[in-house]
Amino acid sequence: MVTFRINGEGFKGCTVPGTEAGLVGCYDGGIPYRPNNEAVRAALPYRWRKAFDRAGGAWWFNGDSAHVCIRDGHGRNLTIIYAHGVKG
């Protein structure tokens, strides 16, 4: 199973479980995983949760790391949330 360390500017980091993904994700044993969106949303400050919902859980992967950019209602960047996969 894969867990993800979540961090970003403006909030305290946390660790969230991974969920099975379609094709793209952090592979472990031939199965791709991505961060659990509900757990990430719960860890965010309340003022960013709607923006995270607006992003639609579109994680961009680069190896075992991923990120999602959340924006306000006018399209301005609020922060970038980084997820670093930890296998085992």
Side-chain angles (χ1 to χ4, degrees):
M1 185 63 161
V2 176
T3 59
F4 289 88
R5 282 179 283 149
I6 306 295
N7 60 18
E9 187 175 327
F11 71 98
K12 187 173 131 182
C14 67
T15 301
V16 298
T19 58
E20 286 191 29
L23 292 172
V24 179
C26 177
Y27 277 82
D28 185 32
I31 300 171
Y33 291 93
R34 65 172 181 78
N36 183 311
N37 286 337
E38 290 80 24
V40 172
R41 185 182 189 280
L44 291 174
Y46 71 92
R47 64 188 181 279
W48 289 350
R49 292 178 184 168
K50 187 172 182 179
F52 182 75
D53 295 341
R54 201 178 302 120
W59 291 94
W60 293 88
F61 280 87
N62 184 12
D64 288 344
S65 297
H67 73 274
V68 62
C69 181
I70 59 173
R71 294 178 165 86
D72 67 7
H74 300 287
R76 296 177 295 228
N77 286 346
L78 292 174
T79 193
I80 298 174
I81 302 169
Y82 295 97
H84 306 283
V86 179
K87 297 175 184 176

